[in-house]
Amino acid sequence: MGAKFPSQAWADAMKEAVNSSEAYAAAAKNWEGDFYFVVSGSEEMIYMDLWHGQCRDAAYTTDPAYKTPEFKITAKHDQWVKVLQGKLDPIQGMMTRQLKLDGNLIKIMQNVKAAQELVGCATQVDTEF
Amino acid sequence: MWFFSSPQIIFGEDALDHLEELPGKRAFIVTDPVLDSLDFTARVRGHLTAAGMEVQVFAEVEPDPSIQTVRRGVAQIAAFQPDWIVGLGGGSSLDAAKGMWALYERPDLEPEEISPVFDLKLHKCKLVAIPTTSGTGSEATMYVVLSDPEQRRKISVGNRELIPTLALIDPSLTSQLPPRVTADTGLDALTHAVEAYTANFRNDYSDALALKAAELVFCYLPRAYEQGHTDSEAREKMANAATLAGLAFGNSLVGMAHALGHSFGGYFKIPHGRAVSLFLPYVMEYTANAGGSRYGEIARHLRLTDGDDEQRGARILIDATRSLEERLGQPTSIAAMGISPAALEEALETLCAHALSDSAILAAPRMPAGDELERLFLYAMEGKEVDF
Ligand SMILES: [Zn+2]
């Protein structure tokens, strides 16, 4: 039985996937930055705090003031499903505005491998859409 | 969902004449001192004057233009308020012109903040790109590469709105290119075509352009190199090849040969085309070793093979690429560029860090893991076949 996206169960599973990925740990060893992944048209979002190749915190929330993360990526539920299934490259999604980024894109672009490994972890999570 | 973007392209003999049709009152030419001393700038100025425009020239673009040069141009543009910015030259002048266009319209941005994920909302003027080399494809893309001399690195940024309004591809402008520049820039075009065809952002539109561009390069680059002063057909085909390859990677992406080439070229001051094409066969071997590279499809399109075996086709294309580079007298190893193992060793950590943070790596079909980037540089040092 998979975890529903978005939910606390999904956030927990994603945290576990990240923290058990050696590839992510290596690719993101210098990364410092936290995110909101927001489902547009709803109040739901996932918060993730990523730090030196580890996920320090992951939470489901409907409170935009839960944290003040460095990055916020907003997309419709359908687009998140495509990202989580590995069908939509998040950078391509941002370039076509299917994903909207608030935050410093350059920092992400300079850590593309980390971003790809993160998506890789997300595709590993047993998700119920 | 994906986009296909292109400037309006006017190509062929007398394409430059089209400048006389442009509407507007003022045009600002961005070029380099060498072209300015030849008759190129005068020709362009003549056409723009015939269109009734007042013309101002900025002829200070250096190879690998710096952010500082761009800022000097922006100051002049802001005072002159042109309807058109006219980039005239190789990739350096075209990139400088695009950089000036962006920062003139958006003085609130730092160059590194230009990105494809938001709208620049350009509205003050338009851009004509007139390439005088056949290689960078800058006339057809949204990308701008500027150098930051203080950090010995290049920054590569882009936004769809920075695709030139018009690209004028007039082969008369490349007829006198020296053979070395012809080879460097022509191999850059080949690298664009091959990387665009294999990048993860590839699509049916970019594929078609990449294949045609590769075909033209293999067919006409040796002629343009060996007898370019008299072979106008080869010059025209190479001019088109470069723009087609630009459209291909502009709508797909480049790959690791560019990431390594940007990093290496920025550090050791090697011309762009020579740097990226040096790494192309090594990167192709590295990518092909993981399987499923699509190089075999290019080899089949070029009629280098009619077999279906992808690995074998890839080998054939890699060998053909090396043969082409040798025929053009290009260095095929870092050592052949006169760089010592000690100098490479000293630079290696920086080179890897810059390559890994280069946006060209974004859609690479095989992403380097562990010490693979470092090993790629070391193999390229010795001219050794990549076996990992
Ligand atoms: Zn290039």
Side-chain angles (χ1 to χ4, degrees), chain B residues 188 192 258 272 276:
Chain B
D188 186 25
H192 295 156
H258 270 78
H272 172 82
V276 300

Side-chain angles (χ1 to χ4, degrees), chain B residues 129-150:
Chain B
I130 309 175
T132 59
T133 62
S134 296
T136 71
S138 179
E139 67 278 8
T141 77
M142 64 166 135
Y143 299 109
V144 181
V145 182
L146 300 174
S147 68
D148 184 348
E150 281 159 26

Side-chain angles (χ1 to χ4, degrees), chain B residues 63-286:
Chain B
D64 303 322
S66 67
I67 293 164
Q68 291 81 349
T69 299
V70 168
R71 290 203 191 282
R72 283 204 310 280
V74 170
Q76 293 186 24
I77 291 170
F80 187 58
Q81 301 209 335
D83 302 289
W84 293 91
I85 296 173
V86 181
L88 171 69
S92 297
S93 290
L94 302 190
D95 282 7
K98 285 151 88 175
M100 288 174 197
W101 189 20
L103 296 182
Y104 162 56
E105 299 246 7
R106 293 296 304 267
D108 54 314
L109 295 180
E110 289 297 319
E112 292 214 353
E113 289 176 313
I114 299 165
S115 96
V117 305
F118 69 96
D119 297 335
L120 289 174
K121 297 191 167 56
L122 305 184
H123 63 281
K124 291 183 187 163
C125 66
K126 295 178 177 177
L127 181 82
V128 192
I130 309 175
T132 59
T133 62
S134 296
T136 71
S138 179
E139 67 278 8
T141 77
M142 64 166 135
Y143 299 109
V144 181
V145 182
L146 300 174
S147 68
D148 184 348
E150 281 159 26
Q151 295 195 38
R152 263 182 115 167
R153 68 176 294 178
K154 294 184 178 180
I155 64 155
S156 180
V157 298
N159 181 290
R160 212 163 286 281
E161 290 176 61
L162 294 177
I163 293 172
T165 319
L166 276 177
L168 301 188
I169 317 302
D170 190 323
S172 71
L173 299 173
T174 57
S175 64
Q176 300 307 312
L177 270 185
R180 183 57 36 222
V181 181
T182 302
D184 283 341
T185 50
L187 289 170
D188 186 25
L190 178 65
T191 310
H192 295 156
V194 172
E195 296 211 291
Y197 194 74
T198 48
N200 291 340
F201 289 6
R202 65 180 184 251
N203 53 78
D204 291 345
Y205 297 84
S206 59
D207 279 357
L209 297 157
L211 287 177
K212 186 66 187 175
E215 178 191 318
L216 291 175
V217 172
F218 270 99
C219 189
Y220 293 99
L221 180 55
R223 277 171 53 181
Y225 173 74
E226 283 155 15
Q227 57 198 44
H229 287 352
T230 54
D231 192 338
S232 58
E233 186 192 34
R235 289 299 192 191
E236 178 162 5
K237 295 294 186 184
M238 278 308 300
N240 291 339
T243 304
L244 289 168
L247 284 172
F249 89 82
N251 289 285
S252 170
L253 211 67
V254 285
M256 262 175 56
H258 270 78
L260 271 69
H262 283 154
S263 165
F264 178 79
Y267 193 94
F268 288 109
K269 300 243 171 281
I270 307 285
H272 172 82
R274 199 176 308 164
V276 300
S277 63
L278 166 74
F279 291 107
L280 178 63
Y282 299 96
V283 166
M284 289 167 79
E285 284 171 344
Y286 170 73

